Amino acid sequence: MLKKVTSIILLLMFVCSVSNLKAQDSLDISVTYQVDMELEFLKGSFDPATDTVEVRGSYFGWGSEAPDMVQSAVNPNIYEHTETQRATVGDSLPAYKFYYTQGNWEGGDNKYYQITQADYDNGYAVVARPFNDATLDDVINQDATILFTVNTAGALSSINNTAFTAVNTVHLTGAVTPLKWPDGGWPDAQIDRMIAMYDNGTNGDETSGDGIFSANVTFPQYTSFRIQYKYGINYGDAANNQGGNDNENGVGADHFINLTADLVTAKVENVFGTMGDHNLVNVVTNQLDSIDISVTYQVDMELEFLKGSFDPATDTVEVRGSYFGWGSEAPDMVQSAVNPNIYEHTETQRATVGDSLPAYKFYYTQGNWEGGDNKYYQITQADYDNGYAVVARPFNDATLDDVINQDATILFTVNTAGALSSINNTAFTAVNTVHLTGAVTPLKWPDGGWPDAQIDRMIAMYDNGTNGDETSGDGIFSANVTFPQYTSFRIQYKYGINYGDAANNQGGNDNENGVGADHFINLTADLVTAKVENVFGTMGDHNLTDIVTDIEIIDQLPTQFELAQNYPNPFNPETTINFQITKQENVSLKIYNLLGQEVATLINEPMGAGVYQIGFNASELSSGIYIYSITAGDFHASKKMTLLK
């Protein structure tokens, strides 16, 4: 028996090329891991004559049992190791990181590689990266000395959440040379990998005995910008370390600072146990002179066109911002001769390495602004050397992985009881009208000052028992808004009371909250309908309720993981995909063309045990063969489908 969540069929419209298909069962693929050690060598922390390089991870083991990599015969800066791993298209290989002798780990999160169609067809894959993903664009240009300080007053051990009896020593460790991590368990014997800190008025320490420990650390030229690190109290002193040497915070909870290319010296002030990103102070740089740089802004409008909100025949696109003006004085962008979906505009701006160019956003006619915070671009060394920079993004940074797969209707409701105007902090005499505006079509922002004449950009809301309103006259206003297919997940919006009614709007139309304080909701790929309940003036992120998706759940308890053949197959243009999972897993169901390119994400969310069915409409796909692939925990499967028109 089917429990219908909805009968709406998932509509996906893509154009892609096709050819003959090879079988998609898992097979043995020769995977070569390659790491470029050039920058580690240049900064003097890696010696190819004495150091060994390893790929460590879930497949290889995270410790010393991992295999040594060998120097490439073609490029001695590259080290490589090959293993045969069983996989199919779309599979993520096990987590890994590169490592070299005496505690030099890559920083940040674990690394992953996903098998492509080309890897599958060839029977081999190459996983190639520089150590720490560093390039000449994101390393420091000279040695930089950072004064690390950590306040241990009231410090608690993360091991037993109790205060230290005494803080006799503090040591510093981390992921970027000369910082080095100890091995798992932080062995006492590896205290030599740690950097000792001081509370005796030396080594950068200002006041002896105040519980603030200090150490100067010099990072060599070619060090990556992002530094990951951690402190340990009473390292190797079992009587006073509260149960272990890794006692600042839990595993994976670290401190971070960000260097810049021109940094010479700086200071970071930490509190023991307060993790995360920290700002540098007392910054001294060796900044290059500013020069004129030709900056080309490019925006890809393809998804705005596909969802029907942008018409290249009538609409204009602008880059607006601090440099160009935030209003209509901003210059029109022109269509690229190479790709008509891309619009571009070039200006000469004066800058140097590390400078952030003025804030900007892309905009197209009649109030269609990008959502979220203002955008910035930072000039790199390559930009400076070349004399030009390209600032290229899709509108709203949207990709096919984070847009809805069909039209989705949201019922917006806002309770105006006790509403206060943000302009004068007083109650409205009467709430006669409420209007909705925002950053994502069909929502549109009015121009600065929210002119009365632009009420046509607003969506009227109702308190009369119609348009989704439940109870007439209760002060809760409602409106149904349909977001078209290809809309980005994150929706930014705001309400205005008595728009254009100077006698009752308390001094202005933008009266819900201050500039930049907005509401947000997050859609999902399979969403069809939902509701959001707001209170006027209470901004931020809100949860959706009454959610309906396009996935059908079959009332049946599965005994095994399975991806069924789509039916009908061949099909034109609609087909159905069934799958089953035996336990709660994060499920990813995607469509690929035969070039290994992902063309659709049907599902990417946690799902419980059950048998599921999802529709796929390919009315504007070219005839040919496609691959659909599922990942649910450790289960991976792929099958082919044939579209005949």
Side-chain angles (χ1 to χ4, degrees):
M1 177 179 181
L2 293 179
K3 295 178 182 176
K4 298 276 189 177
V5 179
T6 178
S7 60
I8 297 180
I9 300 297
L10 179 65
L11 177 61
L12 295 168
M13 303 164 65
F14 303 98
V15 178
C16 41
S17 60
V18 294
S19 60
N20 293 328
L21 182 75
K22 296 183 178 179
Q24 295 299 303
D25 294 335
S26 293
L27 53 73
D28 287 338
I29 296 177
S30 176
V31 183
T32 298
Y33 292 83
Q34 293 183 336
V35 58
D36 190 333
M37 300 296 294
E38 182 178 14
L39 290 179
E40 296 299 299
F41 170 73
L42 287 173
K43 71 183 184 184
S45 60
F46 173 70
D47 182 352
T50 58
D51 289 328
T52 57
V53 187
E54 300 167 15
V55 53
R56 294 188 172 187
S58 304
Y59 187 87
F60 308 97
W62 287 103
S64 57
E65 70 274 21
D68 286 352
M69 305 179 79
V70 298
Q71 265 184 316
S72 164
V74 178
N75 182 346
N77 290 317
I78 291 176
Y79 288 71
E80 53 193 12
H81 177 77
T82 301
E83 291 275 356
T84 298
Q85 301 190 36
R86 195 159 187 85
T88 188
V89 176
D91 282 357
S92 285
L93 298 182
Y96 77 97
K97 279 187 178 181
F98 295 121
Y99 167 96
Y100 63 97
T101 38
Q102 303 309 311
N104 292 286
W105 285 92
E106 289 193 291
D109 296 332
N110 292 337
K111 314 299 181 184
Y112 295 88
Y113 180 81
Q114 190 174 56
I115 294 296
T116 68
Q117 184 67 46
D119 297 335
Y120 187 93
D121 293 342
N122 295 329
Y124 65 85
V126 178
V127 183
R129 296 188 302 103
F131 194 87
N132 267 328
D133 293 316
T135 71
L136 287 172
D137 285 338
D138 53 11
V139 296
I140 59 178
N141 293 333
Q142 62 284 308
D143 293 355
T145 299
I146 306 298
L147 173 59
F148 288 84
T149 71
V150 58
N151 192 333
T152 63
L156 300 178
S157 166
S158 65
I159 296 173
N160 58 15
N161 201 36
T162 61
F164 293 91
T165 306
V167 179
N168 301 315
T169 65
V170 178
H171 285 80
L172 172 64
T173 185
V176 180
T177 305
L179 305 181
K180 297 181 180 182
W181 290 120
D183 291 336
W186 289 37
D188 290 354
Q190 292 184 359
I191 195 170
D192 60 339
R193 294 191 185 177
M194 316 292 286
I195 293 177
M197 304 189 72
Y198 299 87
D199 185 20
N200 62 358
T202 69
N203 295 273
D205 181 56
E206 292 185 359
T207 305
S208 179
D210 63 353
I212 299 175
F213 286 72
S214 304
N216 281 296
V217 178
T218 298
F219 296 95
Q221 183 183 15
Y222 303 109
T223 294
S224 302
F225 289 160
R226 191 156 174 81
I227 308 298
Q228 179 182 9
Y229 62 99
K230 201 171 188 179
Y231 301 101
I233 287 178
N234 299 331
Y235 196 102
D237 179 1
N240 292 293
N241 68 6
Q242 295 293 64
N245 294 322
D246 185 3
N247 51 32
E248 184 181 14
N249 212 303
V251 175
D254 300 308
H255 299 280
F256 294 90
I257 53 174
N258 294 293
L259 313 184
T260 57
D262 55 4
L263 188 67
V264 177
T265 62
K267 177 182 179 182
V268 60
E269 298 172 316
N270 294 132
V271 174
F272 190 86
T274 302
M275 320 307 281
D277 277 73
H278 309 286
N279 293 326
L280 296 175
V281 298
N282 300 347
V283 174
V284 176
T285 65
N286 181 22
Q287 195 170 41
L288 297 168
D289 291 336
S290 295
I291 62 171
D292 286 339
I293 297 177
S294 176
V295 183
T296 298
Y297 293 82
Q298 293 182 335
V299 57
D300 190 333
M301 299 295 293
E302 182 178 16
L303 290 179
E304 296 300 299
F305 170 73
L306 286 173
K307 72 182 184 185
S309 60
F310 173 71
D311 183 353
T314 57
D315 288 328
T316 57
V317 186
E318 300 168 14
V319 53
R320 294 188 171 188
S322 305
Y323 186 88
F324 307 97
W326 287 104
S328 57
E329 70 274 19
D332 287 352
M333 305 180 80
V334 297
Q335 265 184 317
S336 164
V338 178
N339 182 346
N341 290 317
I342 292 176
Y343 287 71
E344 54 193 12
H345 177 76
T346 300
E347 291 275 356
T348 298
Q349 300 190 37
R350 195 159 187 84
T352 188
V353 176
D355 281 358
S356 287
L357 298 182
Y360 77 97
K361 280 188 177 181
F362 295 120
Y363 167 97
Y364 62 97
T365 39
Q366 304 308 311
N368 292 285
W369 285 93
E370 289 192 290
D373 296 333
N374 292 338
K375 314 299 181 183
Y376 296 88
Y377 180 81
Q378 190 174 53
I379 294 296
T380 68
Q381 185 69 48
D383 298 334
Y384 187 91
D385 292 342
N386 295 329
Y388 65 85
V390 178
V391 183
R393 297 187 301 104
F395 194 88
N396 267 327
D397 292 316
T399 70
L400 289 173
D401 285 337
D402 51 13
V403 296
I404 59 177
N405 292 330
Q406 63 285 309
D407 294 355
T409 299
I410 306 299
L411 174 58
F412 288 84
T413 71
V414 58
N415 191 334
T416 63
L420 301 178
S421 167
S422 66
I423 297 173
N424 57 17
N425 202 36
T426 60
F428 293 91
T429 307
V431 179
N432 301 316
T433 64
V434 178
H435 285 81
L436 172 64
T437 186
V440 181
T441 305
L443 305 181
K444 297 180 180 181
W445 290 119
D447 291 335
W450 291 37
D452 291 354
Q454 291 183 0
I455 195 171
D456 59 338
R457 294 190 185 177
M458 316 292 286
I459 293 178
M461 304 190 72
Y462 299 86
D463 186 20
N464 61 0
T466 69
N467 295 273
D469 181 56
E470 292 185 359
T471 306
S472 179
D474 64 352
I476 300 176
F477 286 72
S478 303
N480 281 297
V481 178
T482 298
F483 295 94
Q485 183 186 13
Y486 303 107
T487 294
S488 302
F489 289 160
R490 191 156 173 83
I491 308 298
Q492 179 182 12
Y493 62 99
K494 201 171 188 179
Y495 301 102
I497 288 178
N498 299 330
Y499 196 102
D501 179 1
N504 293 293
N505 68 6
Q506 295 292 62
N509 294 322
D510 185 3
N511 51 33
E512 185 182 13
N513 213 302
V515 174
D518 301 305
H519 300 280
F520 295 90
I521 54 174
N522 294 292
L523 313 184
T524 57
D526 56 2
L527 189 68
V528 176
T529 62
K531 177 182 180 181
V532 60
E533 297 173 312
N534 295 133
V535 174
F536 189 86
T538 303
M539 319 308 281
D541 277 72
H542 310 286
N543 294 326
L544 296 175
T545 61
D546 300 345
I547 293 171
V548 177
T549 70
D550 67 341
I551 302 174
E552 297 177 359
I553 307 173
I554 301 173
D555 191 9
Q556 176 182 337
L557 185 63
T559 59
Q560 63 183 17
F561 287 90
E562 183 179 329
L563 177 65
Q565 185 64 52
N566 64 302
Y567 180 83
N569 188 47
F571 66 99
N572 180 26
E574 296 181 357
T575 190
T576 298
I577 299 170
N578 285 14
F579 64 92
Q580 60 186 41
I581 58 176
T582 62
K583 61 180 180 178
Q584 173 88 17
E585 294 285 6
N586 190 77
V587 176
S588 170
L589 180 60
K590 298 185 177 184
I591 309 291
Y592 296 88
N593 64 22
L594 292 183
L595 299 177
Q597 298 166 325
E598 177 189 326
V599 296
T601 299
L602 306 189
I603 301 171
N604 187 17
E605 62 189 74
M607 303 179 75
V611 180
Y612 296 87
Q613 182 179 92
I614 187 165
F616 176 49
N617 185 307
S619 57
E620 295 206 4
L621 273 163
S622 302
S623 294
I625 300 172
Y626 296 84
I627 304 155
Y628 59 103
S629 180
I630 190 171
T631 298
D634 294 330
F635 173 68
H636 308 283
S638 298
K639 291 185 181 292
K640 67 178 180 179
M641 58 170 62
T642 304
L643 173 62
L644 292 179
K645 291 188 173 182

